[in-house]
């Protein structure tokens, strides 16, 4: 058995391109592949994504990773980014670079994108593994949490430069991102997905509270939904124990869908 890792750039037809990495087993352990969907302002070479690639190679599984528009090695101006654009990116990668049944592994914002993607491709998405999932974050975790002063800045200037604990440079949050995000909100009504969903959530997460993850559990229409709460876990969930929990969860759910 050998592994093949390929890299490239997926043209998007508008002058932009998405950087991607695919790890493929020439003698795969099973038909189910994995698609990694990263978080807001993260990239496909982060700790969890890289650890998942190592696991996929060891377990003879196909894994596809990519950077959204204006993320990582992909092109684009972040000020022009929207949730819909990132969903379109995910669909382009899913349709153009993956084959057969897939398990989506989504982190933070990638959890929201995973849910939206699964709703559009339910015939090929067999399960979701979500890490600190942040559906509706532009509304629930940004707009509703912002002070009146921040909202005024957004309404007047169209952009708010938000300090970040994860980056030296502030995040440019645009009013366009907030308004367009409202077209993709999921919470508050049943989410018509009937597939295994596994959620890993830290209870010390300052960015996506564990109560937000519980709202998602309640909204999902399917019954095969479980959540694992780590009392000391933060938003990253990237310690060795967190990574082990993630890969164990993925391995178990793949075993279930391939029965």
């Amino acid at each position: 058995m050998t592994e093949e890792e390929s890299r490239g750039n997926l043209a998007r037809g508008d002058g932009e391109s998405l950087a991607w990495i695919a790890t493929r087993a020439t003698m795969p352990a099973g038909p189910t592949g994995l698609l990694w969907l990263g978080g807001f302002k993260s990239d496909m070479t982060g700790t969890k994504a890289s650890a998942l690639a190592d696991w996929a190679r060891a377990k003879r599984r196909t894994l596809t990773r990519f950077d959204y528009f204006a993320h990582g090695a992909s092109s684009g101006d972040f000020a022009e980014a929207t949730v819909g654009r990132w969903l379109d990116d995910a669909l382009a990668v899913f349709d153009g670079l993956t084959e057969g049944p897939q398990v989506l592994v989504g982190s933070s914002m990638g959890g929201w994108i995973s849910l939206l993607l699964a709703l559009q491709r339910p015939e090929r998405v067999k399960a979701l593994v979500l890490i600190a999932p942040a559906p509706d974050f532009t509304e629930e975790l940004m707009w509703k949490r912002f002070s009146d002063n921040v909202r005024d800045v957004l309404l007047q200037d169209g952009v708010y430069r938000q300090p970040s604990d994860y980056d030296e440079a502030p995040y440019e949050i645009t009013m366009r991102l907030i308004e367009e995000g409202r077209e993709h909100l999921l919470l508050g009504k049943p989410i018509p997905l009937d597939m295994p969903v596994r959620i890993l959530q830290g209870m010390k997460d300052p960015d996506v509270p564990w109560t937000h993850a519980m709202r998602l559990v309640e909204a999902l229409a399917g019954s095969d939904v479980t959540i694992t709460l780590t009392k000391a876990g933060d938003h990253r969930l990237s310690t060795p124990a967190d990574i082990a929990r993630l890969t164990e969860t993925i391995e178990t759910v793949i075993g279930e869908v391939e029965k």
Side-chain angles (χ1 to χ4, degrees), residues 23-74:
T23 302
R24 298 183 177 90
T26 56
M27 294 178 60
T32 307
L34 301 166
L35 177 63
W36 169 260
L37 296 111
F40 185 76
K41 295 288 282 187
S42 68
D43 64 68
M44 62 181 171
T45 63
T47 301
K48 291 188 292 292
S50 297
L52 184 56
D54 291 340
W55 176 88
R57 281 189 286 269
K59 297 296 182 177
R60 295 184 291 133
R61 291 289 175 182
T62 293
L63 169 68
T64 306
R65 298 177 273 164
F66 73 101
D67 288 332
Y68 307 107
F69 173 85
H71 282 66
S74 293

Side-chain angles (χ1 to χ4, degrees), residues 204-226:
K204 299 294 186 183
D205 186 338
D207 301 303
V208 181
W210 66 270
T211 51
H212 191 77
M214 290 304 300
R215 287 185 63 191
L216 173 59
V217 170
E218 292 171 351
L220 285 162
S223 60
D224 191 1
V225 179
T226 62

Side-chain angles (χ1 to χ4, degrees), residues 159-173:
V159 61
Y160 166 60
R161 291 170 177 82
Q162 182 180 40
S164 169
D165 292 333
Y166 308 104
D167 199 325
E168 292 183 4
Y171 292 167
E172 288 192 339
I173 309 302

Side-chain angles (χ1 to χ4, degrees), residues 28-164:
T32 307
L34 301 166
L35 177 63
W36 169 260
L37 296 111
F40 185 76
K41 295 288 282 187
S42 68
D43 64 68
M44 62 181 171
T45 63
T47 301
K48 291 188 292 292
S50 297
L52 184 56
D54 291 340
W55 176 88
R57 281 189 286 269
K59 297 296 182 177
R60 295 184 291 133
R61 291 289 175 182
T62 293
L63 169 68
T64 306
R65 298 177 273 164
F66 73 101
D67 288 332
Y68 307 107
F69 173 85
H71 282 66
S74 293
S75 66
D77 181 352
F78 195 82
E80 298 177 1
T82 61
V83 174
R85 174 63 193 239
W86 294 325
L87 171 59
D88 287 344
D89 292 341
L91 285 164
V93 170
F94 186 85
D95 292 341
L97 298 177
T98 72
E99 297 178 355
Q102 297 287 310
V103 171
L104 307 184
V105 185
S107 177
S108 192
M109 180 184 83
W112 188 5
I113 303 299
S114 295
L115 292 160
L116 294 168
L117 175 56
L119 286 167
Q120 295 206 29
R121 299 291 186 272
E123 69 285 351
R124 285 185 55 211
V125 176
K126 300 305 178 183
L128 303 177
V129 177
L130 309 179
I131 309 153
D136 302 9
F137 78 91
T138 51
E139 190 71 13
E140 299 294 331
L141 305 179
M142 285 184 172
W143 184 253
K144 289 184 178 179
R145 283 184 165 190
F146 286 155
S147 66
D148 289 342
N149 288 339
V150 170
R151 291 187 191 182
D152 287 343
V153 168
L154 274 164
L155 290 169
Q156 293 170 15
D157 301 339
V159 61
Y160 166 60
R161 291 170 177 82
Q162 182 180 40
S164 169

Side-chain angles (χ1 to χ4, degrees), residues 163-238:
S164 169
D165 292 333
Y166 308 104
D167 199 325
E168 292 183 4
Y171 292 167
E172 288 192 339
I173 309 302
T174 65
M175 195 63 209
R176 179 183 180 186
L177 175 68
I178 300 294
E179 291 177 337
E180 198 275 346
R182 290 170 181 156
E183 299 177 15
H184 306 283
L185 301 180
L186 294 173
L187 301 178
K189 59 185 180 297
I191 302 172
L193 288 175
D194 188 12
M195 61 183 64
V197 180
R198 305 292 177 259
I199 299 171
L200 305 176
Q201 176 70 45
M203 295 185 73
K204 299 294 186 183
D205 186 338
D207 301 303
V208 181
W210 66 270
T211 51
H212 191 77
M214 290 304 300
R215 287 185 63 191
L216 173 59
V217 170
E218 292 171 351
L220 285 162
S223 60
D224 191 1
V225 179
T226 62
I227 182 168
T228 301
L229 297 174
T230 303
K231 188 171 184 178
D234 61 8
H235 186 60
R236 291 181 183 272
L237 288 182
S238 58

